[in-house]
Amino acid sequence: MSPSGAVSAPAWSRAEFEQRLRERGRAYHIHHPFNIMLNSGKASPEQIRGWVANRYYYQINIPVKDAAILANCEERAVRRNWVQRILDHDGSGDDPGGIESWLRLAEAVGLERAQVESLRQVLPGVRFAVDAYVNFARRAPWQEAVCASLTELFAPEIHKQRLAGWPQHYPWIDSAGLSYFQSRVSLARRDVEFGLALTLERFDTRAAQERALEILQFKLDVLWQMNDAMALALGVTA
């Protein structure tokens, strides 16, 4: 019972909870006008370059966010799984990692590597949104930070759209630069299996489940705000 004496609502079943998490995909940035423009072939080279340069700030902060989760997590089994995400982006052994793949994408669209790495093109709205996500991961319980990663539920489709459409719409982009999207189709599926299973297991009361939905919406808002900032600065072709 709540402090007021009211009976708390029962927890949703795992299946219903998962369905409610997946329904949040309606707010995923795959539906943002700026992303629709990119994937429908209407973006100019300047808009694509601006998107790549700005998304780079998100890419380099993914392993920072994941390191924060590891730092807050006392469970060895979780750390052993989660650390792979850092290696996926920073690279390990012969694998150059996702950040390097993104820099190759930048070169494929006509950007200088040093220009992108300088972060001079990163818009304030993009920086603010990404920093908010990293700070959340640092300060929140690690279980909540894991929950925020569940936008990966929706990521494979956006990567598949780029792989299917970009070679046709933007033949001037070297196809080798699209390797980041190819790798993330499978890696996002792998990552979300663990994050989703953990969320379904640990968020086992109605209050916790509703909190999980709020956290997922926060992360969706981060991604949407990034697109808002880029749309404002770079323009959206109708």
Side-chain angles (χ1 to χ4, degrees):
M1 293 184 114
S2 68
S4 63
V7 178
S8 300
W12 293 308
S13 68
R14 285 173 67 100
E16 184 175 2
F17 182 29
E18 179 175 347
Q19 180 183 352
R20 288 174 180 269
L21 289 167
R22 291 184 181 276
E23 285 174 352
R24 292 296 168 116
R26 291 174 295 189
Y28 190 52
H29 68 112
I30 196 172
H31 304 297
H32 193 284
F34 188 76
N35 181 74
I36 292 172
M37 178 191 70
L38 286 174
N39 286 355
S40 61
K42 297 179 180 178
S44 67
E46 291 75 19
Q47 288 168 326
I48 292 175
R49 291 172 189 138
W51 177 77
V52 171
N54 275 274
R55 281 282 301 196
Y56 179 71
Y57 189 65
Y58 180 77
Q59 301 305 130
I60 62 174
N61 275 286
I62 291 174
V64 176
K65 173 268 299 184
D66 288 324
I69 293 175
L70 289 177
N72 290 332
C73 180
E74 70 281 1
E75 296 187 25
R76 179 171 176 250
V78 174
R79 295 197 304 269
R80 282 170 60 88
N81 182 287
W82 207 264
V83 72
Q84 184 61 47
R85 296 171 181 246
I86 296 177
L87 301 179
D88 287 343
H89 281 84
D90 281 342
S92 176
D94 295 331
D95 178 8
I99 292 174
E100 176 62 24
S101 293
W102 196 269
L103 286 168
R104 293 175 184 175
L105 171 63
E107 291 173 328
V109 303
L111 291 166
E112 296 286 340
R113 176 180 292 246
Q115 175 187 6
V116 177
E117 291 179 316
S118 73
L119 306 180
R120 286 193 296 269
Q121 290 179 259
V122 178
L123 297 164
V126 170
R127 188 183 295 271
F128 183 85
V130 174
D131 289 352
Y133 180 38
V134 174
N135 287 331
F136 174 81
R138 285 177 173 146
R139 298 169 182 172
W142 66 266
Q143 297 91 335
E144 292 194 353
V146 165
C147 180
S149 76
L150 290 184
T151 49
E152 291 163 345
L153 283 166
F154 322 116
E157 182 59 31
I158 204 170
H159 296 316
K160 287 191 288 186
Q161 283 187 5
R162 291 164 184 156
L163 290 168
W166 280 38
Q168 174 186 354
H169 298 316
Y170 311 116
W172 55 273
I173 300 177
D174 185 348
S175 60
L178 304 181
S179 63
Y180 176 85
F181 306 138
Q182 293 168 335
S183 67
R184 288 310 302 172
V185 169
S186 59
L187 292 178
R189 288 197 187 102
R190 180 208 67 193
D191 289 347
V192 81
E193 287 179 4
F194 182 81
L196 178 60
L198 193 147
T199 298
L200 294 175
E201 174 189 343
R202 304 299 177 93
F203 291 76
D204 58 358
T205 67
R206 175 65 73 86
Q209 291 168 337
E210 291 176 347
R211 173 62 177 159
L213 292 173
E214 292 174 355
I215 293 166
L216 180 54
Q217 186 62 54
F218 159 73
K219 175 62 182 307
L220 290 165
D221 290 345
V222 165
L223 297 172
W224 198 271
Q225 168 57 33
M226 291 172 62
N227 280 267
D228 275 350
M230 288 185 281
L232 181 63
L234 302 173
V236 176
T237 302

